[in-house]
Amino acid sequence: SSDVLEAIENVIQDVLKSLAQKKAPVLTVAKRSDWRNVEFRDSVGLQMIPHYTTKQIRSDCPRSAPTFALMLKILSMIYKMVQSNTYATKRDIYYSDTQLFGSQSVVDNIINDISCMLKIPRRSLHILSTTKGFVAGNLIYTEEDGTKVNCTCSATAVTVPSNVQGIKNLISHAKFMLIVEKDATFQRLLDDDFCNKLSPCIMITGRGVPDLNTRLLVRKLWDSLQIPIFTLMDADPHGVEIMCIYKYGSVSMSFEAHHLTVPSVKWLGLLPSDLERLNIRKDALIPFSKQDQTKLASIQKRPYIACQPMWKKELEIMAASKLKAEIQVLTSLSSDYLSRVYLPNKLQFGGWI
């Protein structure tokens, strides 16, 4: 915490120095969403290059002055929280003055900019994300406040903890981990008792694009258990994008890649080649939208696809057919096809890439 306080004090000292010299104070932040600031490394995924390009948030420019003021406001809130050892969620910060901040996304963006500027992970700033992910299966752990959480015995999932760093005493006999894109599929597998039927496993869903806590938990479990991690996504560009976030990270959070990515993640399904192999009826598939085509083309150009020839092939199949499918399409074969046939066969015979 002294590192955090010192980092904030340094920023404020620079502001005061500028004022003393009758200059307009400026905050310098990385251009987080610029692909040119990111390099791909097999062992880490997407990470920010050491000499990244920056942008200046000036206090004397009408367009950036409000952002400058909000950054100082949030820095002062972080400083107080670290001093008093209290925590707040991003939502708490937004609701402390909704008129001032204007929207939740403004707060989220500024917090990420501050984290990147100070080179301090967000959880060390005493800001917690609101968690939306779920975890279930063969896992027991203790939360920071001493609460023992048992994910094994319930037919209902447990919410991913909001302070993943604080969890300890992880116990699991799981043979693998399954990341499920959608909540509906996750619940269905839970109802079918998938976590116990085949062999003990842990299931996690970020319910779409994963939040920070879900990604941190996947990484923590991988660090602790070193078991295979498979992903179950829709066979569409959006599903591929989500899987890439778990495996390689995202451009905007590349400055935290070391804590968030799990490069060993495997693509289990739904593979575009599975649709042909299983003779899924054409009328059960969904035609691409313009947006799907654009997203797929952008994914195909990314640096990590070049070193994944099997993925490349699957994306080419998808691009050629211009058709996508949700995991639920498997119910057209039989209502429990996913848990009874598809997943057991894939896991037993190595049907992942």
Side-chain angles (χ1 to χ4, degrees), residues 35 237-238 240-241 244 251 288 290-306 315 319:
W35 273 93
H238 189 62
V240 175
E241 171 99 282
C244 290
V251 179
F288 261 25
K290 188 87 190 81
Q291 210 179 354
D292 289 325
Q293 271 175 298
T294 311
K295 189 180 270 300
L296 182 58
S298 103
I299 292 170
Q300 284 177 301
K301 287 194 198 97
R302 289 184 193 168
Y304 45 69
I305 297 299
L315 297 183

Side-chain angles (χ1 to χ4, degrees), residues 243-263:
M243 175 171 57
C244 290
I245 290 173
Y246 284 106
K247 186 175 174 75
Y248 297 119
S250 58
V251 179
S252 64
M253 291 298 284
S254 61
F255 64 96
E256 272 212 58
H258 288 273
H259 313 285
L260 292 172
T261 57
V262 183

